[in-house]
Structures are given as C-alpha cells and as structure tokens.
Amino acid sequence: MERRGDDFIYTSEGSINSIIHGGFEWVSVDVKESGGQGHHLNRIWKKDLNAWLEEHGADMPRYNNDYKEQFFQLGAIERSIGEVNVLIDIDNCYWRTSFLLGYITQETYIKGLRKKEWKVGRNACVGSCVKSKVRVPYVKGKRDLSRRERILAPIEYHYVRNHIIGHIYRLFYQLFEEIGENFFMFLTDCVVTNYKNKAKVEQFFAKHGYETKSKPVEFLRVVRSSKQVFWYDFQSNDGKGKEKYYIYANNQLVDGATKLSILENNERFNKNITTENQ
C-alpha cells in the first residue's frame, strides 16, 4: 500500500494491529502465539457490556481503583515456613464476576467456558477495558504523524474494570478479616492458607457464587531486603513441582495493625457497595 501510494489507516490496540482501507479492515493475528486462546471472546464480551451500559450507564456508580490485586502478611508467612499449606484458586474468576455483576449474559458466560484454552481470552476481556487505540493515517503511502491520534477507552469501561477487580479484592479482604493469621497471601484470584481453613475458605467462596480448586504449596523463605516471597508449588511444571517467588511492594503488605488504614483508604470505593448490592 505504501508502494502504491494508497490512503489507509494503521491502528494499534495492545497486541492487535489492523489496516483500514477501502471500506474494509484487516486485522493482524499471530496465530502461532495467540491462536486458539479465546481472544475472539472480547467481541461478544464488549457487545454485552455496551448493551448493559446503554441500559444502566447513566446511573452507574463511578468505581475508582482503590483496590489491591495482591497482598501479603509477611509475619504469618514466616511462621508457616516449612509447613505444607494450600493454595485455593477461584475458577474463571474475572469471567465469573462479570456474569455475577450483570455485565455479561448467561449465554455469553457459557460460551466463554466452552474450552479450557480460552482462559487467556477470558482474562483479557477485563484488561481490554483500559486499552487505548492509536490511529495513524497514511496519505498517498506516507505516514502523516501530524494526524496521529490516541483514542482512550470510555471512562465507563474503566468503572466496570474497577468494579470487577474491586469486587474480588473486597471478598479477599473480608476473608482476611475472618481467618486473620491464617491468611498468608492472595495473588489476583487465589489465596494461600493452611489446610485447617481449607473447607472454610471453599465454603466462603461458594456462598458468594464461585467454584474453586486447590493444590499444596510450601513457603520457603521471605527476603525482606529484596522484598521477595518464595514458595514451592508441588503441582507446577507438569506436576513435577517448581520454586516460585513474588517481589512485593510496601503497599501490598497487611497485618492486623494495618486493617484500619486499608479500610480508610478504600472509603471512597466502598461507598458504591450499596448500589452494587441493590
């Protein structure tokens, strides 16, 4: 098209690139890297979301991003080193939450679960809410950077993403308040506790509409100087086990003394809970 001197538009949105020309749009897909991972689900997810916004958008709460996607109770972790604990993972966490909060229909929810391999695509739907798109026009085959534009995602999409992730955070924090010292850490959609609390945690999430799965893990060490938590996953690496670690930030640390400050930091977010429960 450059050689022919065509007029066209090149777009980029995350890992998705396309060319718009002559009334058609060609989308570039790396089949080897992402084929079969369910990225097509984003289209029907957004269709449902737009329908929801059309009906409810004018009155939707402005959920902010005062939430955490991980937190750690270092003292409790250190006291459990050498013991076999249990990691409990919420099945299809964000996809399920999108359905429970009403953003997608039951039909879309069921379609998205047809294949296990579509997990990447299901998770990407929520992340796509904050992606921006860059459009670069080409005039007579030459890139015109003076007309380059960045199109931000609608603010309502941001509110939806905050609502979904914040909903999960509030559940984990409520669980933390219930099991206290036996709540070691949570990472996005899973929590580590001891086996004594396994049934209690599973029942907690079942009560809120979630199914879970679990596997054994063992904390190995906490290196506070480099802010690292190490554990051994007995079922990682095709069941052979693997050592893993996470580099935490200070604002991801929690203990009994910090409960109040965390709740205060989330005061604005929690104002929207009433609307959500209705």
Side-chain angles (χ1 to χ4, degrees):
M1 290 183 177
E2 288 179 326
R3 288 196 300 268
R4 289 202 308 253
D6 289 354
D7 293 344
F8 62 95
I9 296 174
Y10 180 86
T11 74
S12 177
E13 184 177 8
S15 61
I16 306 298
N17 304 301
S18 71
I19 289 175
I20 301 172
H21 176 264
F24 296 92
E25 181 173 8
W26 285 270
V27 180
S28 172
V29 177
D30 188 336
V31 177
K32 184 177 180 180
E33 280 295 317
S34 60
Q37 294 185 348
H39 290 289
H40 66 286
L41 295 174
N42 185 259
R43 186 170 58 254
I44 60 173
W45 193 86
K46 284 281 179 65
K47 181 180 178 181
D48 280 6
L49 178 56
N50 289 335
W52 186 94
L53 288 172
E54 186 174 345
E55 183 176 355
H56 305 283
D59 302 316
M60 74 176 301
R62 298 187 176 189
Y63 291 97
N64 58 51
N65 61 355
D66 286 351
Y67 54 76
K68 300 179 189 295
E69 295 182 60
Q70 303 86 20
F71 66 71
F72 304 81
Q73 193 167 199
L74 296 185
I77 291 174
E78 289 170 329
R79 287 188 290 273
S80 73
I81 288 176
E83 300 175 357
V84 178
N85 293 304
V86 60
L87 182 149
I88 300 172
D89 182 30
I90 299 176
D91 287 341
N92 310 302
C93 182
Y94 289 162
W95 190 254
R96 177 70 176 165
T97 304
S98 300
F99 171 63
L100 292 176
L101 297 181
Y103 293 122
I104 61 174
T105 64
Q106 185 175 33
E107 181 182 4
T108 295
Y109 172 70
I110 293 172
K111 282 182 179 178
L113 297 177
R114 279 181 53 199
K115 294 186 179 181
K116 183 179 180 180
E117 296 79 15
W118 291 354
K119 178 179 179 180
V120 174
R122 290 192 295 267
N123 290 339
C125 288
V126 175
S128 71
C129 283
V130 293
K131 281 185 178 179
S132 59
K133 177 182 286 190
V134 176
R135 291 167 55 96
V136 181
Y138 281 68
V139 180
K140 296 182 179 179
K142 301 294 183 181
R143 184 171 54 176
D144 186 355
L145 290 179
S146 67
R147 294 169 56 194
R148 177 183 181 274
E149 60 178 334
R150 180 180 295 276
I151 303 171
L152 301 178
I155 189 62
E156 290 81 7
Y157 282 13
H158 289 253
Y159 296 153
V160 169
R161 181 180 186 274
N162 292 342
H163 188 194
I164 292 170
I165 299 178
H167 179 80
I168 296 301
Y169 167 66
R170 292 200 301 276
L171 287 179
F172 277 113
Y173 193 84
Q174 183 180 337
L175 182 64
F176 164 63
E177 291 187 305
E178 290 187 15
I179 64 176
E181 287 297 302
N182 296 314
F183 188 112
F184 302 131
M185 71 177 185
F186 99 87
L187 298 171
T188 308
D189 59 359
C190 61
V191 60
V192 179
T193 185
N194 55 21
Y195 271 95
K196 181 180 179 181
N197 282 275
K198 179 176 181 292
K200 183 175 184 178
V201 172
E202 291 171 339
Q203 291 167 6
F204 173 86
F205 286 115
K207 180 179 68 174
H208 289 281
Y210 296 93
E211 295 181 351
T212 57
K213 55 182 176 289
S214 63
K215 59 182 177 179
V217 296
E218 179 182 337
F219 287 111
L220 302 174
R221 58 194 178 278
V222 174
V223 185
R224 294 187 181 235
S225 59
S226 57
K227 299 182 179 179
Q228 292 176 290
V229 175
F230 292 82
W231 67 93
Y232 191 80
D233 184 338
F234 291 93
Q235 294 181 7
S236 184
N237 196 24
D238 297 327
K240 297 178 182 179
K242 182 179 180 180
E243 180 176 314
K244 296 184 176 181
Y245 72 93
Y246 188 92
I247 301 176
Y248 61 82
N250 287 337
N251 65 1
Q252 293 175 322
L253 301 182
V254 65
D255 57 38
T258 61
K259 284 184 180 180
L260 182 59
S261 63
I262 289 178
L263 291 174
E264 289 172 346
N265 288 338
N266 284 296
E267 183 178 355
R268 288 186 301 135
F269 189 96
N270 290 333
K271 285 180 180 178
N272 294 315
I273 293 178
T274 302
T275 304
E276 172 192 326
N277 289 339
Q278 291 174 350

